[in-house]
Amino acid sequence: MFQPLVEPISFEEFIDWKPENGRYELHKGVIVEMQPTGDHELVRAFLIRELNFEIRKFNLAYSIPSQALVKAVDKKSGYIPDVLVLNLLNLVNEPAWKKSSTVSQAESIPLIVEVVSTNWRDDYFLKFGEYEEMSIPEYWIVDYAAIGGKRFIGNFKQPTISVYVLVEGEYQVTQFRGNERIQSHTFPELNLTAEQVFQAALGEY
């Protein structure tokens, strides 16, 4: 059985340690084991299915891996996004892709989606800042249970999808709720409402 290391380590040490099974991330040199809920996984699976449909429909040079790592600019953090859309054409420029399925260039990552769990601050603070610094063009935070802070989803908290798009180096947000159709720069023809995503947590596809 693998035991997570507790002392701060480098990204390279994390890669050497990381077991094949299990979902582990490196947060500022500290290993964190990700243990999502069942509802979280249903939402994640639904989004992957819908985005893969767009990829096939328009024959895009994109792929959604299950365990690829995103190496942050600070070189002490690495994340496994809930949904990571890769630009296949840029993987030849990623030095660590073939050895450790790791990407670090914004050109390789058109879109990242994080589905909010109890550790919602990681998505709204930590990963938000890292992805913005990396210049990831588009970042979604899917808060299907409305557990994020009021400063992010309002005083009358309700399920919300926040779509952040990079504009002049900074994220600008548009939020979607209910039957509002999600607007995506990466998938402009996407015909999906916020409510359809939220219903996935109930197993209603």
Side-chain angles (χ1 to χ4, degrees):
M1 179 177 179
F2 289 93
Q3 294 295 326
L5 305 179
V6 294
E7 296 295 326
I9 63 173
S10 69
F11 187 85
E12 289 69 26
E13 290 172 323
F14 170 66
I15 290 296
D16 289 339
W17 168 88
K18 187 176 178 298
E20 290 185 7
N21 298 319
R23 293 174 65 87
Y24 296 92
E25 295 186 338
L26 188 67
H27 294 192
K28 306 297 183 183
V30 177
I31 295 173
V32 177
E33 183 176 8
M34 313 304 290
Q35 298 204 4
T37 65
D39 292 348
H40 174 285
E41 289 300 276
L42 287 176
V43 172
R44 174 177 173 270
F46 175 76
L47 287 168
I48 290 173
R49 188 188 75 173
E50 293 298 311
L51 297 183
N52 269 327
F53 177 78
E54 294 296 299
I55 291 170
R56 292 193 302 271
K57 181 180 178 181
F58 294 101
N59 196 28
L60 302 173
Y62 292 164
S63 182
I64 301 177
S66 61
Q67 287 282 337
L69 278 163
V70 174
K71 183 180 181 181
V73 174
D74 69 4
K75 299 181 180 179
K76 296 179 181 178
S77 300
Y79 308 113
I80 300 177
D82 291 314
V83 183
L84 171 62
V85 178
L86 290 179
N87 174 11
L88 298 176
L89 299 180
N90 197 65
L91 293 183
V92 296
N93 300 316
E94 291 284 0
W97 173 251
K98 287 192 176 295
K99 181 180 178 181
S100 60
S101 63
T102 298
V103 292
S104 60
Q105 301 174 15
E107 293 80 6
S108 299
I109 311 168
L111 171 65
I112 283 178
V113 180
E114 296 288 1
V115 179
V116 176
S117 295
T118 52
N119 58 338
W120 60 269
R121 288 176 176 82
D122 286 348
D123 299 324
Y124 283 103
F125 286 107
L126 177 64
K127 295 180 181 180
F128 173 94
E130 297 280 15
Y131 296 155
E132 183 181 62
E133 187 175 8
M134 291 180 68
S135 297
I136 304 301
E138 187 172 352
Y139 172 41
W140 297 10
I141 299 179
V142 178
D143 198 342
Y144 68 92
I147 60 176
K150 293 180 180 179
R151 77 186 77 175
F152 301 109
I153 60 175
N155 289 326
F156 179 64
K157 294 173 69 172
Q158 56 184 311
T160 302
I161 297 176
S162 301
V163 174
Y164 296 90
V165 175
L166 201 69
V167 179
E168 296 181 355
E170 297 183 8
Y171 277 142
Q172 303 295 321
V173 65
T174 305
Q175 295 184 315
F176 303 92
R177 303 178 178 92
N179 290 320
E180 295 173 337
R181 178 174 168 268
I182 301 166
Q183 303 293 316
S184 169
H185 282 217
T186 307
F187 298 102
E189 301 299 320
L190 182 66
N191 187 18
L192 187 65
T193 68
E195 187 61 29
Q196 285 175 296
V197 177
F198 305 144
Q199 288 298 311
L202 304 176
E204 300 178 4
Y205 278 32

